[in-house]
Amino acid sequence: MNNESRKANHLINEKSPYLLQHAYNPVDWYPWGEEAFEKARRENKPIFLSIGYSTCHWCHVMEHESFEDSTVAEEMNKTFISIKVDREERPDIDNIYMSVCQLLTGSGGWPLTIIMTPKKKPFFAGTYFPKETRFGRIGIIELTQKIAESWIVERDKINSSAEQIVEAIKNQQNISGNSEITEEAMNNAFEQFKSRFDSQFGGFGSSPKFPSPHNLTFLLRYWKHTGNLDALKMVKKTISSMRLGGIFDHIGFGFHRYSTDREWFLPHFEKMLYDQAMLTSAYIETYQATQNEEYALVAREIIEYVLRDMTSSEGGFYSAEDADSEGIEGKFYVWSIDEIRKILNEKEAQLFITTYNLEQDGNFSEEATKIKTGENIPHLKSNLHDIAKRIVLNQSELERRLETIRQKLFAEREKRIHPYKDDKILTDWNGLMIASLAKTARVLNNDKFKNAAIKAMEFILTKMKDSNNRLLHRYRDGEFSIQATLDDYAFVIWALLELYETTFNTSYLKTAIEFQNIQNKYFWDEENFGYFLTANDAEKLLTRSKELYDGAIPSGNSVSFNNLLKLGKLTANSNYENLASKMSISFSEIVNRAPSGTTMMLQGINFAQGNSSEIIIVVEEENTITNDWLQKLNREFISNKVVLLKTKQNQNELSEIAPFTKDYEIESGKPLIYVCKNYSCNLPTSDIKKALEMLN
């Protein structure tokens, strides 16, 4: 039945692709807002809150199975006021009620299902529910009927339970330490990773395996700080294995969300912008650490995918691509051998089939039946150097032939029905992508990447702000909306700092400081330190969340900790480092309890306690000499450094931002590098080799 013949519910005027996917469900969905809560109070009904996102596979399953079903809808509409929330639009709501689910069930995920009172106080939580009860998992119809009965006969018990849950959630926010985080936490995190490391296939644990790139960039810094080669080996093995496996899209590039198996072979096929951003950083930093060109190539491939498929005409980056097409997960990405033989000539087909491990019956099975599908996920079992040796072919010739094949298959794949693209633009995820683009641009001296980062930041700074210069969270279909959260500010400040060191345009540094001041004013916890997820003038929810743990992306607090330290070094303003010190004390208990879950914070601890460096390049104007210096600096993995460039053109603006730079005089015709390390400065030099020796 098409949408024209169905009745729309209250989601029809929303902008979120996820909410619009449910706009013609027979369930009478409301968006989060006072209208729904007022109706619940007036009709004395509990609220059924469903939280998900547009590319969530099990969200689709629950919709098709239950929310599109008239019997389910009749029961739900009779019992509940039903509210749909896009977790990517409202991370503040998602954060609180996901904490509830984890508290009550010990786990979480999406779709997230919460049943609560009209006062937003939850008393039941879960994730996916089938239509009918099966295999011990209660069905949505039975659940609704039980809640309806309890709401009538056990209201006092429900209200009491809801109050206890709210108190427990509030108490979770009150954890604070009494001393700063020490190097011991970094050592403990390393040991935890070492104990879980899969030496055969890389990654940590068994399955499913998530990329978690911030864990890898922590291990790179740990190796650099301690000289422990095991940390570097874990990173190299992991990112090499990921690039070989089916989690990487060998035809169109970019990484899928995670691997369902230990070997990085069978992915969950959705592609998220934040994964592309963070993985780009991990690969380019590993390239810096090893000078292995293969890692730089992967960074380029990820960016090629993002710029080709995930970039709007205005320059902002889209959020995600679905796992499903034509209702089948992964259909867009898999190939039969017969298809391959029709598209390629005989030699090409045989080379591709052999290299990428395709099988006539298919190289993976249906999970439910364990029967081979006849379809194949292209993947490698060794690198191209080893494959070239095995088939007695020059590696560069093998690469040339495979690229020709890839382009043919990509052109053919483009004719297929594409997975759904979530085209909303999120400020925080764009911040992550801009930061990675800017970093990769300066490491590879790539103007295309730099210009893409500049254009995206221009979009954020001109479009994603309100009249008070405060950030907005989401743009879609001409509408800029939703008050920004901590992550929006933290990730955009990170991007601005990376862009400054890529372009040395002082306006980026100035804007970073302006946003940091706004963040401090509206998000800082004066009592227990750290930053709340929501601003002090945002919608009042059950509690103001404060998150430190790094999940699929690093937390806003951990990124802010790093930002404050860098701003302190760049400006010599000790107020930034004082705030960072207070955060270190506030979060010390959480970090000590779970160091491997707070690796972005530990990267900041490494910066604060390790051999951090400030580099000031002083020159009349940028020229070939300074550009050569910067290229040499940027190729090296010097993780704990900041760089300032002073010229005649920018000296006044720079001295306003960083007053100490007034004392660094510009000498005619003589570019100078000043290296300061561990709060002491060396004499200036005009020899880049000497400067690098000081840094290393």
Side-chain angles (χ1 to χ4, degrees):
M1 188 185 296
N2 61 29
N3 286 341
E4 286 73 18
S5 60
R6 293 188 288 174
K7 181 183 176 184
N9 56 46
H10 301 273
L11 301 179
I12 191 62
N13 294 317
E14 295 298 303
K15 294 296 185 183
S16 158
Y18 175 65
L19 299 187
L20 290 172
Q21 285 171 358
H22 294 78
Y24 287 93
N25 292 169
V27 174
D28 191 20
W29 293 114
Y30 283 79
W32 181 278
E34 185 53 33
E35 182 183 3
F37 294 112
E38 172 57 31
K39 186 175 175 66
R41 290 191 290 269
R42 189 172 64 249
E43 298 183 8
N44 191 25
K45 286 182 176 180
I47 286 168
F48 185 99
L49 173 63
S50 179
I51 303 176
Y53 57 101
S54 71
T55 57
C56 164
H57 173 70
W58 284 103
C59 299
H60 296 325
V61 172
M62 193 168 175
E63 179 191 13
H64 297 322
E65 185 179 10
S66 297
F67 301 145
E68 292 180 347
D69 184 271
S70 58
T71 304
V72 172
E74 184 179 356
E75 290 292 330
M76 288 182 63
N77 293 341
K78 184 171 61 178
T79 304
F80 302 118
I81 300 301
S82 298
I83 295 177
K84 264 286 176 191
V85 167
D86 182 341
R87 67 168 296 264
E88 295 167 358
E89 278 198 339
R90 292 301 302 269
D92 51 342
I93 296 170
D94 177 64
N95 182 277
I96 288 173
Y97 291 106
M98 184 59 73
S99 297
V100 170
C101 187
Q102 291 166 339
L103 177 73
L104 296 182
T105 70
S107 62
W110 299 277
L112 174 60
T113 303
I114 299 288
I115 301 176
M116 60 187 185
T117 72
K119 294 182 178 180
K120 309 176 187 177
K121 296 180 179 181
F123 58 89
F124 179 87
T127 52
Y128 162 78
F129 293 96
K131 177 183 174 182
E132 307 282 356
T133 299
R134 61 175 184 252
F135 302 121
R137 183 183 286 269
I138 191 170
I140 193 75
I141 293 176
E142 184 181 349
L143 173 64
T144 300
Q145 291 168 345
K146 284 180 178 290
I147 295 293
E149 181 181 357
S150 297
W151 187 251
I152 294 170
V153 302
E154 296 184 308
R155 182 74 61 84
D156 289 344
K157 186 177 177 181
I158 284 175
N159 288 335
S160 175
S161 173
E163 293 293 343
Q164 291 174 20
I165 292 167
V166 171
E167 282 305 307
I169 291 299
K170 286 181 177 178
N171 289 336
Q172 285 183 347
Q173 304 297 322
N174 295 330
I175 298 172
S176 61
N178 51 26
S179 61
E180 287 189 342
I181 302 164
T182 66
E183 192 168 331
E184 183 182 5
M186 290 190 284
N187 295 332
N188 291 340
F190 168 74
E191 292 298 333
Q192 288 179 356
F193 285 122
K194 189 176 179 181
S195 69
R196 303 201 307 265
F197 180 63
D198 182 343
S199 59
Q200 185 175 358
F201 296 107
F204 305 93
S206 180
S207 64
K209 278 183 177 174
F210 290 82
S212 301
H214 41 281
N215 294 339
L216 303 176
T217 52
F218 161 74
L219 287 169
L220 285 176
R221 284 156 178 76
Y222 187 83
W223 157 72
K224 187 73 173 181
H225 179 64
T226 65
N228 190 317
L229 286 174
D230 285 342
L232 181 60
K233 288 176 182 176
M234 285 191 277
V235 174
K236 289 164 61 179
K237 180 64 178 178
T238 299
I239 68 170
S240 295
S241 298
M242 284 195 299
R243 174 58 178 79
L244 297 177
I247 192 174
F248 183 76
D249 178 359
H250 291 269
I251 304 302
F253 304 148
F255 278 89
H256 299 297
R257 181 67 197 93
Y258 62 86
S259 175
T260 63
D261 63 279
R262 179 187 168 202
E263 300 176 29
W264 304 106
F265 163 62
L266 180 61
H268 177 45
F269 284 93
E270 69 181 320
K271 289 180 177 178
M272 310 301 293
L273 178 66
Y274 55 73
D275 283 326
Q276 316 312 319
M278 297 298 294
L279 281 163
T280 299
S281 281
Y283 276 95
I284 204 63
E285 287 191 355
T286 311
Y287 163 69
Q288 286 178 299
T290 63
Q291 298 299 304
N292 185 333
E293 291 288 342
E294 289 182 13
Y295 300 135
L297 174 62
V298 182
R300 288 188 181 95
E301 289 171 337
I302 298 170
I303 292 172
E304 180 178 334
Y305 159 68
V306 170
L307 297 185
R308 183 191 68 227
D309 291 347
M310 298 293 284
T311 306
S312 72
S313 58
E314 302 104 317
F317 303 113
Y318 299 136
S319 294
E321 288 192 307
D322 208 333
D324 301 4
S325 55
E326 301 179 73
I328 301 172
E329 182 176 2
K331 183 174 183 178
F332 181 76
Y333 297 102
V334 296
W335 304 83
S336 69
I337 280 185
D338 290 344
E339 264 186 302
I340 296 297
R341 293 195 185 281
K342 286 177 184 176
I343 299 164
L344 305 175
N345 65 42
E346 186 177 343
K347 281 187 176 181
E348 289 174 332
Q350 194 54 49
L351 179 61
F352 185 79
I353 289 165
T354 303
T355 303
Y356 287 95
N357 301 287
L358 275 56
E359 300 173 14
Q360 188 62 50
D361 294 333
N363 60 15
F364 68 100
S365 305
E366 287 283 0
E367 186 178 355
T369 63
K370 306 301 180 188
I371 297 172
K372 288 287 184 74
T373 63
E375 302 286 355
N376 291 273
I377 301 168
H379 66 290
L380 299 167
K381 291 187 176 177
S382 58
N383 61 41
L384 293 184
H385 174 75
D386 292 342
I387 293 170
K389 282 178 64 178
R390 189 171 69 245
I391 64 176
V392 194
L393 186 66
N394 179 277
Q395 183 179 341
S396 61
E397 175 61 17
L398 174 62
E399 290 171 353
R400 187 191 65 78
R401 292 185 188 181
L402 289 176
E403 177 58 16
T404 299
I405 291 168
R406 186 195 71 78
Q407 290 183 19
K408 287 183 179 181
L409 294 178
F410 177 78
E412 192 65 29
R413 196 178 78 173
E414 283 294 281
K415 300 173 186 175
R416 297 178 178 177
I417 295 174
H418 281 243
Y420 176 80
K421 193 190 305 289
D422 187 328
D423 61 355
K424 67 178 179 292
I425 295 172
L426 299 173
T427 297
D428 51 352
W429 297 4
N430 271 251
L432 293 177
M433 194 67 233
I434 295 167
S436 291
L437 269 172
K439 180 188 296 182
T440 306
R442 69 172 178 266
V443 172
L444 300 181
N445 195 29
N446 187 303
D447 285 342
K448 180 181 178 181
F449 299 167
K450 179 178 73 174
N451 292 335
I454 290 170
K455 186 176 181 182
M457 181 55 75
E458 185 68 16
F459 176 80
I460 297 294
L461 297 181
T462 57
K463 302 289 189 181
M464 302 296 284
K465 292 194 302 183
D466 65 17
S467 58
N468 296 315
N469 201 37
R470 291 175 65 179
L471 287 170
L472 297 168
H473 176 61
R474 185 266 291 147
Y475 167 76
R476 185 176 186 270
D477 195 22
E479 182 185 276
F480 304 89
S481 186
I482 305 176
Q483 193 172 359
T485 66
L486 170 65
D487 289 5
D488 295 303
Y489 283 95
F491 298 170
V492 167
I493 292 167
W494 183 8
L496 287 162
L497 294 177
E498 295 289 356
L499 261 177
Y500 169 71
E501 291 200 31
T502 300
T503 65
F504 294 107
N505 182 336
T506 51
S507 69
Y508 293 131
L509 188 50
K510 184 178 179 182
T511 305
I513 292 168
E514 290 171 357
F515 281 150
Q516 189 64 60
N517 290 338
I518 292 172
Q519 182 182 315
N520 294 344
K521 179 179 178 181
Y522 290 99
F523 294 86
W524 182 254
D525 180 355
E526 293 286 354
E527 185 176 351
N528 293 313
F529 310 137
Y531 294 98
F532 290 113
L533 179 60
T534 53
N536 54 27
D537 59 352
E539 177 187 353
K540 298 295 183 284
L541 301 173
L542 292 182
T543 184
R544 288 181 76 193
S545 299
K546 194 195 292 180
E547 187 63 64
L548 181 68
Y549 290 115
D550 301 320
I553 56 177
S555 73
N557 269 297
S558 62
V559 171
S560 295
F561 183 70
N562 283 270
N563 291 343
L564 289 168
L565 292 169
K566 288 182 179 178
L567 283 169
K569 297 291 186 184
L570 286 164
T571 65
N573 183 339
S574 61
N575 290 333
Y576 295 120
E577 292 195 40
N578 290 338
L579 288 176
S581 175
K582 289 178 178 179
M583 291 180 75
S584 177
I585 294 169
S586 176
F587 291 122
S588 60
E589 185 177 331
I590 296 173
V591 172
N592 290 332
R593 185 192 304 162
S596 62
T598 55
T599 51
M600 199 71 186
M601 184 83 173
L602 291 177
Q603 291 185 43
I605 295 297
N606 182 40
F607 186 97
Q609 298 181 0
N611 295 319
S612 62
S613 304
E614 302 87 57
I615 302 162
I616 303 98
I617 298 175
V618 182
V619 61
E620 285 185 283
E621 59 182 4
E622 286 189 69
N623 53 36
T624 54
I625 295 173
T626 52
N627 289 336
D628 178 64
W629 287 358
L630 289 167
Q631 284 180 43
K632 286 182 167 66
L633 275 173
N634 292 329
R635 277 180 61 87
E636 301 242 354
F637 184 63
I638 309 168
S639 57
N640 295 342
K641 76 175 192 310
V642 294
V643 183
L644 288 160
L645 177 67
K646 178 176 178 177
T647 66
K648 278 188 173 180
Q649 186 177 1
N650 74 14
Q651 59 182 336
N652 293 332
E653 209 169 18
L654 189 62
S655 65
E656 289 178 16
I657 298 168
F660 74 95
T661 59
K662 289 179 182 176
D663 298 329
Y664 291 80
E665 293 186 5
I666 297 171
E667 296 188 23
S668 179
K670 187 180 181 184
L672 295 170
I673 307 175
Y674 293 81
V675 176
C676 301
K677 196 167 186 175
N678 293 333
Y679 302 97
S680 64
C681 296
N682 294 287
L683 292 172
T685 179
S686 294
D687 186 342
I688 187 63
K689 289 182 180 178
K690 284 186 179 178
L692 289 170
E693 286 171 7
M694 295 178 202
L695 290 164
N696 289 318

